[in-house]
PDB file of all heavy atoms in Angstrom:
ATOM      1  N   PRO H 198      88.026  -2.153 255.156  1.00 92.00           N
ATOM      2  CA  PRO H 198      89.074  -1.126 255.126  1.00 92.00           C
ATOM      3  C   PRO H 198      90.486  -1.714 255.233  1.00 92.00           C
ATOM      4  O   PRO H 198      91.443  -1.130 254.716  1.00 92.00           O
ATOM      5  CB  PRO H 198      88.752  -0.263 256.346  1.00 92.00           C
ATOM      6  CG  PRO H 198      87.309  -0.486 256.610  1.00 92.00           C
ATOM      7  CD  PRO H 198      87.008  -1.889 256.190  1.00 92.00           C
ATOM      8  N   PRO H 202      95.199  -0.865 252.126  1.00 92.00           N
ATOM      9  CA  PRO H 202      96.646  -0.638 251.955  1.00 92.00           C
ATOM     10  C   PRO H 202      97.298  -1.548 250.907  1.00 92.00           C
ATOM     11  O   PRO H 202      98.211  -1.108 250.205  1.00 92.00           O
ATOM     12  CB  PRO H 202      97.229  -0.911 253.355  1.00 92.00           C
ATOM     13  CG  PRO H 202      96.099  -0.719 254.286  1.00 92.00           C
ATOM     14  CD  PRO H 202      94.862  -1.108 253.543  1.00 92.00           C
ATOM     15  N   MET H 223     102.283  10.317 245.585  1.00 92.00           N
ATOM     16  CA  MET H 223     101.593  10.615 246.836  1.00 92.00           C
ATOM     17  C   MET H 223     100.146  11.027 246.559  1.00 92.00           C
ATOM     18  O   MET H 223      99.216  10.587 247.239  1.00 92.00           O
ATOM     19  CB  MET H 223     102.346  11.768 247.515  1.00 92.00           C
ATOM     20  CG  MET H 223     102.326  11.783 249.003  1.00 92.00           C
ATOM     21  SD  MET H 223     103.673  12.861 249.581  1.00 92.00           S
ATOM     22  CE  MET H 223     102.800  14.389 249.838  1.00 92.00           C
ATOM     23  N   SER H 224      99.960  11.848 245.523  1.00 94.00           N
ATOM     24  CA  SER H 224      98.613  12.325 245.179  1.00 94.00           C
ATOM     25  C   SER H 224      97.734  11.167 244.715  1.00 94.00           C
ATOM     26  O   SER H 224      96.576  11.037 245.123  1.00 94.00           O
ATOM     27  CB  SER H 224      98.680  13.369 244.066  1.00 94.00           C
ATOM     28  OG  SER H 224      99.397  14.484 244.508  1.00 94.00           O
ATOM     29  N   GLU H 226      98.118   7.953 245.270  1.00 95.00           N
ATOM     30  CA  GLU H 226      97.873   7.006 246.347  1.00 95.00           C
ATOM     31  C   GLU H 226      96.754   7.510 247.261  1.00 95.00           C
ATOM     32  O   GLU H 226      95.864   6.752 247.649  1.00 95.00           O
ATOM     33  CB  GLU H 226      99.176   6.786 247.143  1.00 95.00           C
ATOM     34  CG  GLU H 226      99.087   5.592 248.066  1.00 95.00           C
ATOM     35  CD  GLU H 226     100.362   5.360 248.881  1.00 95.00           C
ATOM     36  OE1 GLU H 226     101.385   6.029 248.615  1.00 95.00           O
ATOM     37  OE2 GLU H 226     100.322   4.517 249.782  1.00 95.00           O
ATOM     38  N   LEU H 227      96.790   8.804 247.566  1.00 94.00           N
ATOM     39  CA  LEU H 227      95.766   9.358 248.461  1.00 94.00           C
ATOM     40  C   LEU H 227      94.400   9.381 247.770  1.00 94.00           C
ATOM     41  O   LEU H 227      93.380   9.043 248.382  1.00 94.00           O
ATOM     42  CB  LEU H 227      96.178  10.767 248.925  1.00 94.00           C
ATOM     43  CG  LEU H 227      95.213  11.457 249.888  1.00 94.00           C
ATOM     44  CD1 LEU H 227      94.934  10.598 251.111  1.00 94.00           C
ATOM     45  CD2 LEU H 227      95.779  12.807 250.338  1.00 94.00           C
ATOM     46  N   GLN H 230      93.077   5.945 247.888  1.00 95.00           N
ATOM     47  CA  GLN H 230      92.625   5.655 249.267  1.00 95.00           C
ATOM     48  C   GLN H 230      91.229   6.241 249.485  1.00 95.00           C
ATOM     49  O   GLN H 230      90.325   5.584 249.995  1.00 95.00           O
ATOM     50  CB  GLN H 230      93.638   6.264 250.252  1.00 95.00           C
ATOM     51  CG  GLN H 230      93.130   6.545 251.665  1.00 95.00           C
ATOM     52  CD  GLN H 230      93.231   5.340 252.593  1.00 95.00           C
ATOM     53  OE1 GLN H 230      94.048   4.460 252.363  1.00 95.00           O
ATOM     54  NE2 GLN H 230      92.389   5.284 253.613  1.00 95.00           N
ATOM     55  N   GLU H 231      91.042   7.502 249.064  1.00 95.00           N
ATOM     56  CA  GLU H 231      89.752   8.173 249.251  1.00 95.00           C
ATOM     57  C   GLU H 231      88.648   7.475 248.448  1.00 95.00           C
ATOM     58  O   GLU H 231      87.547   7.277 248.938  1.00 95.00           O
ATOM     59  CB  GLU H 231      89.852   9.643 248.804  1.00 95.00           C
ATOM     60  CG  GLU H 231      90.794  10.496 249.626  1.00 95.00           C
ATOM     61  CD  GLU H 231      90.326  10.706 251.066  1.00 95.00           C
ATOM     62  OE1 GLU H 231      89.128  10.503 251.350  1.00 95.00           O
ATOM     63  OE2 GLU H 231      91.175  11.054 251.905  1.00 95.00           O
ATOM     64  N   ARG H 238      82.550   2.649 252.375  1.00 92.00           N
ATOM     65  CA  ARG H 238      81.704   3.278 253.385  1.00 92.00           C
ATOM     66  C   ARG H 238      80.311   3.587 252.842  1.00 92.00           C
ATOM     67  O   ARG H 238      79.310   3.229 253.451  1.00 92.00           O
ATOM     68  CB  ARG H 238      82.371   4.562 253.861  1.00 92.00           C
ATOM     69  CG  ARG H 238      81.823   5.107 255.159  1.00 92.00           C
ATOM     70  CD  ARG H 238      82.717   6.183 255.705  1.00 92.00           C
ATOM     71  NE  ARG H 238      83.546   6.772 254.632  1.00 92.00           N
ATOM     72  CZ  ARG H 238      84.197   7.909 254.748  1.00 92.00           C
ATOM     73  NH1 ARG H 238      84.143   8.591 255.867  1.00 92.00           N
ATOM     74  NH2 ARG H 238      84.928   8.387 253.754  1.00 92.00           N
ATOM     75  N   LEU H 281      85.339  24.016 251.413  1.00 91.00           N
ATOM     76  CA  LEU H 281      86.065  25.256 251.690  1.00 91.00           C
ATOM     77  C   LEU H 281      85.121  26.423 252.003  1.00 91.00           C
ATOM     78  O   LEU H 281      85.569  27.491 252.416  1.00 91.00           O
ATOM     79  CB  LEU H 281      86.974  25.629 250.506  1.00 91.00           C
ATOM     80  CG  LEU H 281      88.062  24.622 250.139  1.00 91.00           C
ATOM     81  CD1 LEU H 281      89.035  25.238 249.144  1.00 91.00           C
ATOM     82  CD2 LEU H 281      88.812  24.132 251.358  1.00 91.00           C
ATOM     83  N   MET H 286      83.771  24.467 256.598  1.00 88.00           N
ATOM     84  CA  MET H 286      85.185  24.305 256.963  1.00 88.00           C
ATOM     85  C   MET H 286      85.393  23.415 258.183  1.00 88.00           C
ATOM     86  O   MET H 286      86.365  22.682 258.268  1.00 88.00           O
ATOM     87  CB  MET H 286      85.818  25.673 257.252  1.00 88.00           C
ATOM     88  CG  MET H 286      86.306  26.422 256.036  1.00 88.00           C
ATOM     89  SD  MET H 286      87.603  25.580 255.138  1.00 88.00           S
ATOM     90  CE  MET H 286      89.028  25.884 256.181  1.00 88.00           C
ATOM     91  N   LEU H 287      84.480  23.523 259.163  1.00 90.00           N
ATOM     92  CA  LEU H 287      84.688  22.780 260.406  1.00 90.00           C
ATOM     93  C   LEU H 287      83.780  21.556 260.515  1.00 90.00           C
ATOM     94  O   LEU H 287      83.555  21.031 261.597  1.00 90.00           O
ATOM     95  CB  LEU H 287      84.522  23.708 261.606  1.00 90.00           C
ATOM     96  CG  LEU H 287      85.651  24.755 261.722  1.00 90.00           C
ATOM     97  CD1 LEU H 287      85.403  25.703 262.877  1.00 90.00           C
ATOM     98  CD2 LEU H 287      87.019  24.089 261.879  1.00 90.00           C
ATOM     99  N   PRO H 289      83.099  17.615 260.118  1.00 88.00           N
ATOM    100  CA  PRO H 289      84.045  16.495 260.215  1.00 88.00           C
ATOM    101  C   PRO H 289      84.133  15.654 258.943  1.00 88.00           C
ATOM    102  O   PRO H 289      85.073  14.879 258.787  1.00 88.00           O
ATOM    103  CB  PRO H 289      83.488  15.663 261.380  1.00 88.00           C
ATOM    104  CG  PRO H 289      82.056  16.034 261.477  1.00 88.00           C
ATOM    105  CD  PRO H 289      81.930  17.437 260.987  1.00 88.00           C
ATOM    106  N   PHE H 295      86.285  16.179 247.315  1.00 93.00           N
ATOM    107  CA  PHE H 295      87.027  17.418 247.115  1.00 93.00           C
ATOM    108  C   PHE H 295      88.525  17.122 246.962  1.00 93.00           C
ATOM    109  O   PHE H 295      89.199  17.647 246.077  1.00 93.00           O
ATOM    110  CB  PHE H 295      86.770  18.350 248.311  1.00 93.00           C
ATOM    111  CG  PHE H 295      87.673  19.542 248.345  1.00 93.00           C
ATOM    112  CD1 PHE H 295      87.412  20.641 247.538  1.00 93.00           C
ATOM    113  CD2 PHE H 295      88.796  19.561 249.161  1.00 93.00           C
ATOM    114  CE1 PHE H 295      88.260  21.740 247.554  1.00 93.00           C
ATOM    115  CE2 PHE H 295      89.640  20.658 249.186  1.00 93.00           C
ATOM    116  CZ  PHE H 295      89.369  21.752 248.378  1.00 93.00           C
TER     117      PHE H 295
ATOM    118  N   ASP Y  23      88.877   3.999 259.429  1.00 86.00           N
ATOM    119  CA  ASP Y  23      88.729   2.726 260.134  1.00 86.00           C
ATOM    120  C   ASP Y  23      90.040   2.203 260.715  1.00 86.00           C
ATOM    121  O   ASP Y  23      90.127   1.058 261.122  1.00 86.00           O
ATOM    122  CB  ASP Y  23      88.143   1.667 259.198  1.00 86.00           C
ATOM    123  CG  ASP Y  23      87.446   0.567 259.995  1.00 86.00           C
ATOM    124  OD1 ASP Y  23      86.655   0.931 260.889  1.00 86.00           O
ATOM    125  OD2 ASP Y  23      87.712  -0.615 259.747  1.00 86.00           O
ATOM    126  N   TYR Y  53     100.593   8.399 257.102  1.00 89.00           N
ATOM    127  CA  TYR Y  53      99.548   8.551 256.107  1.00 89.00           C
ATOM    128  C   TYR Y  53      98.328   9.201 256.758  1.00 89.00           C
ATOM    129  O   TYR Y  53      97.957   8.830 257.857  1.00 89.00           O
ATOM    130  CB  TYR Y  53      99.181   7.146 255.624  1.00 89.00           C
ATOM    131  CG  TYR Y  53      98.691   7.085 254.215  1.00 89.00           C
ATOM    132  CD1 TYR Y  53      99.598   6.993 253.166  1.00 89.00           C
ATOM    133  CD2 TYR Y  53      97.330   7.116 253.929  1.00 89.00           C
ATOM    134  CE1 TYR Y  53      99.149   6.940 251.865  1.00 89.00           C
ATOM    135  CE2 TYR Y  53      96.882   7.060 252.628  1.00 89.00           C
ATOM    136  CZ  TYR Y  53      97.794   6.965 251.605  1.00 89.00           C
ATOM    137  OH  TYR Y  53      97.363   6.910 250.323  1.00 89.00           O
ATOM    138  N   VAL Y  54      97.731  10.154 256.083  1.00 92.00           N
ATOM    139  CA  VAL Y  54      96.487  10.763 256.578  1.00 92.00           C
ATOM    140  C   VAL Y  54      95.503  10.816 255.422  1.00 92.00           C
ATOM    141  O   VAL Y  54      95.908  11.101 254.294  1.00 92.00           O
ATOM    142  CB  VAL Y  54      96.701  12.217 257.059  1.00 92.00           C
ATOM    143  CG1 VAL Y  54      95.461  12.729 257.784  1.00 92.00           C
ATOM    144  CG2 VAL Y  54      97.911  12.342 257.959  1.00 92.00           C
ATOM    145  N   ASP Y  55      94.234  10.522 255.674  1.00 93.00           N
ATOM    146  CA  ASP Y  55      93.219  10.710 254.622  1.00 93.00           C
ATOM    147  C   ASP Y  55      92.110  11.625 255.144  1.00 93.00           C
ATOM    148  O   ASP Y  55      92.225  12.183 256.242  1.00 93.00           O
ATOM    149  CB  ASP Y  55      92.689   9.363 254.104  1.00 93.00           C
ATOM    150  CG  ASP Y  55      91.781   8.667 255.114  1.00 93.00           C
ATOM    151  OD1 ASP Y  55      91.620   9.187 256.239  1.00 93.00           O
ATOM    152  OD2 ASP Y  55      91.229   7.608 254.767  1.00 93.00           O
ATOM    153  N   SER Y  56      91.030  11.750 254.379  1.00 93.00           N
ATOM    154  CA  SER Y  56      89.990  12.708 254.764  1.00 93.00           C
ATOM    155  C   SER Y  56      89.310  12.303 256.068  1.00 93.00           C
ATOM    156  O   SER Y  56      88.851  13.165 256.814  1.00 93.00           O
ATOM    157  CB  SER Y  56      88.962  12.845 253.638  1.00 93.00           C
ATOM    158  OG  SER Y  56      88.306  11.618 253.428  1.00 93.00           O
ATOM    159  N   CYS Y  57      89.247  11.003 256.360  1.00 93.00           N
ATOM    160  CA  CYS Y  57      88.653  10.570 257.631  1.00 93.00           C
ATOM    161  C   CYS Y  57      89.540  10.974 258.803  1.00 93.00           C
ATOM    162  O   CYS Y  57      89.039  11.382 259.858  1.00 93.00           O
ATOM    163  CB  CYS Y  57      88.450   9.056 257.645  1.00 93.00           C
ATOM    164  SG  CYS Y  57      87.146   8.543 256.564  1.00 93.00           S
ATOM    165  N   GLY Y  60      89.086  14.458 259.257  1.00 94.00           N
ATOM    166  CA  GLY Y  60      87.754  14.662 259.839  1.00 94.00           C
ATOM    167  C   GLY Y  60      87.783  14.557 261.358  1.00 94.00           C
ATOM    168  O   GLY Y  60      87.139  15.346 262.056  1.00 94.00           O
ATOM    169  N   VAL Y  63      89.392  17.635 262.835  1.00 96.00           N
ATOM    170  CA  VAL Y  63      88.468  18.782 262.811  1.00 96.00           C
ATOM    171  C   VAL Y  63      87.418  18.631 263.911  1.00 96.00           C
ATOM    172  O   VAL Y  63      87.161  19.564 264.679  1.00 96.00           O
ATOM    173  CB  VAL Y  63      87.785  18.901 261.429  1.00 96.00           C
ATOM    174  CG1 VAL Y  63      86.664  19.927 261.480  1.00 96.00           C
ATOM    175  CG2 VAL Y  63      88.802  19.276 260.356  1.00 96.00           C
ATOM    176  N   LYS Y  84     103.293  15.022 254.043  1.00 86.00           N
ATOM    177  CA  LYS Y  84     101.991  14.488 253.613  1.00 86.00           C
ATOM    178  C   LYS Y  84     100.841  15.119 254.388  1.00 86.00           C
ATOM    179  O   LYS Y  84      99.839  15.529 253.805  1.00 86.00           O
ATOM    180  CB  LYS Y  84     101.935  12.964 253.835  1.00 86.00           C
ATOM    181  CG  LYS Y  84     102.540  12.162 252.702  1.00 86.00           C
ATOM    182  CD  LYS Y  84     102.333  10.671 252.937  1.00 86.00           C
ATOM    183  CE  LYS Y  84     103.188   9.874 251.968  1.00 86.00           C
ATOM    184  NZ  LYS Y  84     103.074   8.429 252.151  1.00 86.00           N
ATOM    185  N   ARG Y  87     100.460  18.856 253.557  1.00 88.00           N
ATOM    186  CA  ARG Y  87      99.891  19.095 252.235  1.00 88.00           C
ATOM    187  C   ARG Y  87      98.367  18.965 252.276  1.00 88.00           C
ATOM    188  O   ARG Y  87      97.627  19.748 251.686  1.00 88.00           O
ATOM    189  CB  ARG Y  87     100.495  18.074 251.250  1.00 88.00           C
ATOM    190  CG  ARG Y  87      99.988  18.211 249.857  1.00 88.00           C
ATOM    191  CD  ARG Y  87     101.052  17.923 248.820  1.00 88.00           C
ATOM    192  NE  ARG Y  87     100.474  18.096 247.502  1.00 88.00           N
ATOM    193  CZ  ARG Y  87     100.104  17.083 246.737  1.00 88.00           C
ATOM    194  NH1 ARG Y  87     100.291  15.846 247.136  1.00 88.00           N
ATOM    195  NH2 ARG Y  87      99.564  17.320 245.553  1.00 88.00           N
ATOM    196  N   LEU Y  88      97.921  17.932 253.006  1.00 90.00           N
ATOM    197  CA  LEU Y  88      96.481  17.700 253.119  1.00 90.00           C
ATOM    198  C   LEU Y  88      95.803  18.875 253.833  1.00 90.00           C
ATOM    199  O   LEU Y  88      94.704  19.295 253.461  1.00 90.00           O
ATOM    200  CB  LEU Y  88      96.273  16.406 253.906  1.00 90.00           C
ATOM    201  CG  LEU Y  88      95.027  15.621 253.596  1.00 90.00           C
ATOM    202  CD1 LEU Y  88      94.928  15.293 252.125  1.00 90.00           C
ATOM    203  CD2 LEU Y  88      95.009  14.349 254.421  1.00 90.00           C
ATOM    204  N   ILE Y  91      95.583  21.735 251.257  1.00 91.00           N
ATOM    205  CA  ILE Y  91      94.518  21.593 250.252  1.00 91.00           C
ATOM    206  C   ILE Y  91      93.158  21.896 250.862  1.00 91.00           C
ATOM    207  O   ILE Y  91      92.305  22.511 250.238  1.00 91.00           O
ATOM    208  CB  ILE Y  91      94.512  20.152 249.660  1.00 91.00           C
ATOM    209  CG1 ILE Y  91      95.849  19.841 248.974  1.00 91.00           C
ATOM    210  CG2 ILE Y  91      93.365  19.967 248.669  1.00 91.00           C
ATOM    211  CD1 ILE Y  91      95.977  18.403 248.503  1.00 91.00           C
ATOM    212  N   LYS Y  93      92.649  23.788 253.338  1.00 93.00           N
ATOM    213  CA  LYS Y  93      92.708  25.131 253.944  1.00 93.00           C
ATOM    214  C   LYS Y  93      92.662  25.092 255.473  1.00 93.00           C
ATOM    215  O   LYS Y  93      92.421  26.125 256.114  1.00 93.00           O
ATOM    216  CB  LYS Y  93      91.563  26.041 253.435  1.00 93.00           C
ATOM    217  CG  LYS Y  93      91.507  26.174 251.921  1.00 93.00           C
ATOM    218  CD  LYS Y  93      92.544  27.124 251.417  1.00 93.00           C
ATOM    219  CE  LYS Y  93      92.386  27.357 249.910  1.00 93.00           C
ATOM    220  NZ  LYS Y  93      93.658  27.716 249.285  1.00 93.00           N
ATOM    221  N   ILE Y  97      93.276  27.478 259.891  1.00 95.00           N
ATOM    222  CA  ILE Y  97      92.472  27.360 261.118  1.00 95.00           C
ATOM    223  C   ILE Y  97      93.277  26.722 262.249  1.00 95.00           C
ATOM    224  O   ILE Y  97      93.329  27.240 263.354  1.00 95.00           O
ATOM    225  CB  ILE Y  97      91.201  26.531 260.819  1.00 95.00           C
ATOM    226  CG1 ILE Y  97      90.297  27.337 259.878  1.00 95.00           C
ATOM    227  CG2 ILE Y  97      90.466  26.166 262.102  1.00 95.00           C
ATOM    228  CD1 ILE Y  97      89.060  26.612 259.443  1.00 95.00           C
TER     229      ILE Y  97
END
Side-chain angles (χ1 to χ4, degrees):
Chain H
M223 211 162 96
S224 297
E226 193 181 351
L227 181 55
Q230 158 86 24
E231 295 293 341
R238 196 168 22 165
L281 299 191
M286 276 298 284
L287 291 177
F295 169 80
Chain Y
D23 204 48
Y53 209 85
V54 190
D55 72 356
S56 63
C57 289
V63 170
K84 276 185 192 178
R87 180 144 181 258
L88 209 55
I91 299 174
K93 305 282 186 207
I97 292 177

